[in-house]
Structures are given as structure tokens and as C-alpha cells.
Amino acid sequence: MPQNQNKVTYGIDRMAFYIPEFYVPMTDLAQARGVDPDKYLGGLGQENMAVLPPDQDIITMGASAAEALLTDDNASPIDRRSIDLVIVATESGLDASKAGAIPIHGLLNLAPNCRTIEIKQACYSSTASVRLAMAHVMQHPSSTVLIIATDNARYGLNAPGEATQGCGALAMTVTQNPSILAIDPEAGYLTKDVMDFWRPSYLDEAIVDGKYSARMYLTGLINTWGQYSGITNKTIDDIDRFVFHLPFSTMADKAYRRLCQHTDHPEDPAEYVAGKQLNQQIGNSYTASLYLSMLSLLLADDGSANNELTGHTLGFYAYGSGSVAEFFTGTVIDGHKKYLLPDYHHNQLTQRQALSFDQYEDYYRFQSKIMSRDQGGNISIPTVSQSAPFVLTRISDHIRQYARS
Ligand code: CAA
């Protein structure tokens, strides 16, 4: 589809993700929990689950994702002084008061004249951040907004949600006339006060009613699609690919199927399948998940005729339990491939190490320990990551200390 070259657009200019060096294969998890592996591989659609090691947290993962984007040698460098707003979207916040964006701003050596905040509304807060960033660049056209979606998804060892854990960070910049995706102003959005998934501040694991949360996810999709299509007069045929928030990858199949049934549209899996691969390897990354699906879709674009995404309309569904949902669209920009860091992202996935099951449980319990009031305030952290740009080195008097490695 041709793009109007003269139209001023707003949206995503750069993207990069960071995941820890460690994962557990879903077949190992299934064996250890006495579950048929096909349930995890086929039923949930997951292959591997990223695991947070002791020396990583939402700050180090977020700073590492942003560092990759800021130091991309293949693209024109981003002027760090143009970044005047940093937003961290997370539901794994480490502090009830101080924004996680502040230590990330420090680790990245960004300019002091910058606003830094943290936003919360479950997995939806990354999309709230994008909307806030777009409003900011509309007012300040030369600004660059850095958004970092960073999370550690924890449900508990042996809990029903354990197979949908995961972790990771996705950094993106929002600018005027972006290089990757121009986002449309129209959207359908919904707030519905439900207790499908939540984490009281005294817990380090989420409480979830899993089946109910999946129903609420689908209810939000139908509602926000209805609002969006009513405003725009668009139908499913106007959307070239769907990009979903993915708590686990077969959620995309359920969502697409439900939308097709609701709109009496024939199902064509080719319209959505490509965005699931990163989630299958990483698991749920909460706030990062929707934009990881988008990156997964764009990275899989090999330029072949039936897979060329330039100029195509992507339909996005964001869902944050609790709940807030949004359906919106964007157009893929000509030349976007130059900004996707394919080698860096490939290495992120292929240079990981599978943990033994005991190590996985040890790493999980270590996170519980450092999040506890009794033990977490003063603790030295073993360095286990070999190639992480940033590591957590110790916690002294409840202050986390970080180093560039
Ligand atoms: N072979 C193949 N498939 C199998 C199988 C086997 N042996 N055994 C089961 N399955 C299939 C089931 O049929 C089911 O598929 P369908 O849903 O298509 O029927 C799938 O595997 C999962 O099986 P169950 O529903 O029986 O699994 P469960 O009871 O263990 O619960 C879960 C699954 C609800 C997702 C649970 O892991 C959970 O609570 N996860 C956390 C919450 C969550 O992810 N919610 C999603 C929406 S909320 C949201 O999106 C926000 C967010 O990020 C949290």
C-alpha cells in the first residue's frame, strides 16, 4: 500500500529486546511436574522459558535492551540529548516510590534534562506509554521518547501458571516520522474492573484465575474491536496482520478465532501466525509481550512477495489484567528492516544456556529471597551472566548497586 510521503506521522522509530542468558526447556518443566509435554508444546505453544538469574533484574534487562538500540552501528546514531522522556512500563516494580526509569537513565548516561517515570497497569502499561510518548512528540517534534517495557513473570514453582512464566525487556523509541511503525490515532479502549490477575504489594508472585483471565482477554478484544471498527468503519479485511499481547503463544489462535467468529469472517491463520516465535522461546514478558510479537513478525519478514510487510496495516491488541484493553492499528514504514538489529536479536536467542531443573528452581528461589524484607536488604549477588551489558552486583541498605560488565 502506498504511503503518503507528506503526512506527518508518529510512532515507533527503533526497537530492541534483551533476554537473560538462561532458559529452561518446556519439556524439562513438563517432565519435572509430571505433565504431558504436548500440553506445554502444543496446548500452550511454548518451547522454552527465559529465566531471570541472580545478577539480573528489570533495571539491568531494561538498560541492556536500550543500550542495544542506542549503539546500533548499522543505523544512524540516536542523539542521546534528544531523549527528554524515559518511561519504564513494568508490573515487576522494585520500588513503590522511585521510578525504575531513574537508574536506567543513569546506566545509559542520558542527559540530565529529561523526565523519567514508571507506569503501571499490568501488561497494558507499555501501550499507555506509547500513547503518552506520541502526545509528547506531537508537542515537541524534535524529541525522542525512550520506552522500556521490562518484566519478570512469576506465578510460583509448581503453580498452574508456572508454564507461562518468562522474562525480558523491550526498548523502543517514539518519534515524529518514525522509521518502523506509524501508529494511527484512532483506537478502541476499555476499562473493566475485574480480579483476573493481580499482585498485592506484599507478594512477589502474581495471583491469577487463569481461565477467567483468558475470558476477560477475549471479552476485551471483542469490545475494543467493536469500538475501533465503529470509529474507523474498518473490517478485518483492512488489517493485513494481527499482533497480540501473548501470555502464551496459542492465545493468538484463540483471539483471532474469536474475532473471526464474532465478525463472521473466514479464518486464515496466515494472517496472524508469524508474530508468535519470540514468545515461544521466551514465555510471557508481560509489558514487553505485545511489542515483542510485533518485532517477531517484522524479523520473520524475509522480503518474499507473500511476506513483505512494508506499507501493511498491523492490528494490535493490548490487554492488561485488572483490566484495560486497547485495539489500534499502525502502518509498517518502508525501510524498517534497517532498524531491526537482526544479528543482535538472533544471538540473543541462540547464545543462551539451558539450565538444569535444579538450577532453575535455585534461581527462582533466589529472586524470592532478594525480594523479601528480611533477607533482601543486604545481600551480595553472584555474577553468573557472561555477556550481559549490565549486572546487579549487590544490595546494601536496601540500595541496589549495578555495574557495566
Ligand atoms: N496435549 C495437547 N494439548 C493439551 C494437552 C495435551 N496432553 N493437555 C492440555 N492441553 C491443552 C488444553 O486443551 C488447553 O488448550 P485449549 O485452551 O485450547 O483448550 C491448553 O492445553 C491448556 O490446558 P489447560 O487449560 O487445561 O491448562 P491449565 O489449567 O494448566 O491452565 C493457563 C492454563 C490458564 C493458561 C495457566 O497456565 C495460567 O493460569 N496462566 C497464567 C494466566 C494467563 O496466562 N492468562 C492469560 C490471559 S491474561 C493476560 O493475558 C495477562 C497476562 O499476561 C497474565
Side-chain angles (χ1 to χ4, degrees):
M1 271 164 255
Q3 291 166 49
N4 181 345
Q5 300 296 332
N6 299 321
K7 196 176 152 202
V8 176
T9 58
Y10 301 92
I12 298 172
D13 192 55
R14 306 287 174 88
M15 301 178 91
F17 72 79
Y18 174 82
I19 47 170
E21 294 163 29
F22 305 98
Y23 69 95
V24 65
M26 297 309 285
T27 44
D28 291 4
L29 182 66
Q31 191 184 16
R33 300 298 181 225
V35 171
D36 180 352
D38 286 343
K39 174 175 173 178
Y40 295 164
L41 300 174
L44 298 175
Q46 299 306 109
E47 278 177 41
N48 294 308
M49 185 170 91
V51 177
L52 195 70
D55 60 0
Q56 294 291 306
D57 64 13
I58 58 160
I59 305 300
T60 58
M61 290 194 297
S64 297
E67 180 79 353
L69 169 158
L70 292 170
T71 55
D72 179 7
D73 293 336
N74 295 318
S76 49
I78 296 170
D79 179 359
R80 292 188 190 217
R81 287 166 305 173
S82 71
I83 299 174
D84 61 357
L85 175 58
V86 180
I87 310 174
V88 162
T90 187
E91 52 186 300
S92 325
L94 298 172
D95 193 296
S97 176
K98 180 173 172 173
I102 297 176
I104 292 180
H105 172 276
L107 288 170
L108 297 173
N109 291 319
L110 297 179
N113 298 113
C114 182
R115 292 181 174 124
T116 46
I117 55 172
E118 183 173 311
I119 295 192
K120 177 178 68 183
Q121 180 11 62
C123 307
Y124 173 73
S125 62
S126 45
T127 295
S129 304
V130 168
R131 289 289 174 200
L132 178 60
M134 285 172 64
H136 181 82
V137 293
M138 281 175 199
Q139 279 192 325
H140 307 281
S142 59
S143 287
T144 300
V145 180
L146 176 62
I147 297 173
I148 296 161
T150 177
D151 268 304
N152 182 23
R154 287 167 63 83
Y155 292 98
L157 298 175
N158 228 339
E162 185 180 25
T164 63
Q165 293 179 158
C167 59
L170 186 133
M172 53 190 159
T173 56
V174 168
T175 63
Q176 180 176 290
N177 296 329
S179 305
I180 299 179
L181 184 85
I183 297 177
D184 298 320
E186 299 84 8
Y189 37 87
L190 173 78
T191 291
K192 193 173 164 64
D193 186 0
V194 294
M195 296 307 281
D196 60 334
F197 167 110
W198 66 106
R199 183 171 68 81
S201 49
Y202 47 82
L203 294 184
D204 71 70
E205 291 161 349
I207 303 172
V208 62
D209 183 341
K211 300 259 178 2
Y212 181 51
S213 70
R215 283 206 305 282
M216 290 301 101
Y217 175 114
L218 296 173
T219 302
L221 172 62
I222 298 308
N223 186 302
T224 56
W225 166 261
Q227 193 192 355
Y228 171 85
S229 59
I231 293 167
T232 60
N233 283 325
K234 287 192 173 152
T235 69
I236 290 189
D237 291 326
D238 293 308
I239 312 285
D240 296 299
R241 293 282 196 284
F242 285 90
V243 181
F244 293 105
H245 163 66
L246 293 182
F248 51 91
S249 73
T250 50
M251 198 70 218
D253 306 62
K254 291 180 198 292
Y256 180 73
R257 200 176 307 128
R258 175 64 67 87
L259 197 55
C260 289
Q261 285 163 357
H262 178 75
T263 54
D264 289 327
H265 190 273
E267 289 179 34
D268 175 3
E271 285 186 78
Y272 65 90
V273 287
K276 300 195 293 185
Q277 287 133 341
L278 287 175
N279 178 274
Q280 287 168 336
Q281 298 303 323
I282 294 168
N284 197 351
S285 52
Y286 286 165
T287 51
S289 166
L290 175 67
Y291 299 92
L292 208 58
S293 299
M294 170 183 159
L295 192 51
S296 192
L297 177 65
L298 296 180
L299 284 168
D301 175 5
D302 60 5
S304 57
N306 61 353
N307 203 20
E308 171 62 53
L309 291 168
T310 296
H312 279 52
T313 299
L314 306 185
F316 293 84
Y317 178 57
Y319 178 74
S321 288
S323 60
V324 180
E326 180 160 337
F327 190 93
F328 62 99
T329 45
T331 307
V332 180
I333 307 287
D334 187 15
H336 65 280
K337 286 188 192 131
K338 191 175 159 198
Y339 303 98
L340 299 179
L341 292 154
D343 294 340
Y344 162 80
H345 287 126
H346 179 75
N347 291 343
Q348 286 279 299
L349 288 172
T350 53
Q351 296 180 356
R352 293 189 296 173
Q353 184 187 327
L355 292 174
S356 71
F357 202 74
D358 285 347
Q359 276 177 310
Y360 153 66
E361 292 202 324
D362 284 352
Y363 282 4
Y364 189 94
R365 290 195 184 98
F366 192 86
Q367 293 298 332
S368 307
K369 190 170 155 184
I370 64 172
M371 293 299 284
S372 79
R373 183 192 295 255
D374 301 337
Q375 301 175 76
N378 285 288
I379 190 164
S380 61
I381 310 288
T383 301
V384 295
S385 299
Q386 300 299 310
S387 58
F390 299 101
V391 287
L392 172 67
T393 52
R394 63 172 295 110
I395 304 176
S396 306
D397 296 330
H398 303 278
I399 300 170
R400 289 187 178 226
Q401 295 174 357
Y402 298 101
R404 220 175 234 279
S405 55

